[in-house]
Amino acid sequence: MGKLVRSLVLVGIFIFAAAFIANAATLDEAKVLAQSAAAFAKDNGKEKAAAEFGNPNGQFTKGELYITFVDFNGVVLMHGANPGLAGKSLLESKDSVTGKLFVKEQIEIAKTQGGGWAEYNWMNPATKKVQVKKSWVQKVDGMDAYVVCGIFQ
């Protein structure tokens, strides 16, 4: 009987892990969501975009994926997982592990490349732990602003 219970527990853990992995977001999904968000902001303006990006039931919140909308001064226009950051400057924010000024890096990517990957350590809203996050940075055409969407590694 003990072996049967252990086997069933192991099977349950395996099924849960497989379901979790199957539902985990991918880098491609993060990139596509950021590009879609940038197009939405361009077409609808800052205020409407910020409202939509902050809507937990909106089109730009998908499972663990959310949009962060930031201007080129480093001021958060909306943070999809933490709306309380809206209006705050993160320009001088340092990666707590590497010391890198990651918002300045994101601004540079948006300004010089239009879009690209950035990697930094950030608080995971689900686990409440600092983890490595790889994010797609996408400039919003016609604005001095960009959006970011990524996944925790």
Side-chain angles (χ1 to χ4, degrees):
M1 184 71 167
K3 286 183 181 182
L4 176 63
V5 171
R6 278 193 299 260
S7 295
L8 289 174
V9 168
L10 287 174
V11 167
I13 291 170
F14 176 76
I15 290 170
F16 175 78
F20 178 79
I21 291 168
N23 288 325
T26 67
L27 290 173
D28 286 339
E29 290 170 327
K31 180 179 178 180
V32 168
L33 193 63
Q35 291 171 330
S36 297
F40 183 89
K42 177 186 176 193
D43 293 345
N44 294 282
K46 283 183 183 176
E47 287 183 26
K48 188 170 182 181
E52 185 61 21
F53 300 157
N55 179 355
N57 299 311
Q59 62 183 311
F60 296 103
T61 302
K62 298 182 185 287
E64 68 183 74
L65 296 178
Y66 58 87
I67 296 296
T68 304
F69 190 24
V70 184
D71 72 18
F72 284 170
N73 294 315
V75 175
V76 176
L77 302 171
M78 181 50 68
H79 190 287
N82 185 356
L85 288 175
K88 297 188 188 303
S89 175
L90 297 182
L91 186 64
E92 299 297 323
S93 294
K94 289 185 180 180
D95 181 309
S96 62
V97 176
T98 67
K100 174 173 59 173
L101 295 168
F102 65 92
V103 174
K104 286 185 176 183
E105 177 186 49
Q106 292 172 357
I107 292 168
E108 186 66 18
I109 290 169
K111 283 182 172 182
T112 63
Q113 300 173 40
W117 292 106
E119 191 171 290
Y120 51 97
N121 291 279
W122 187 253
M123 179 72 68
N124 183 330
T127 66
K128 305 294 186 219
K129 293 181 182 177
V130 174
Q131 291 178 254
V132 174
K133 187 167 189 178
K134 188 166 185 179
S135 296
W136 184 261
V137 176
Q138 184 67 52
K139 181 184 185 315
V140 177
D141 290 334
M143 286 184 199
D144 288 338
Y146 66 96
V147 295
V148 180
C149 184
I151 63 171
F152 290 95
Q153 306 282 288

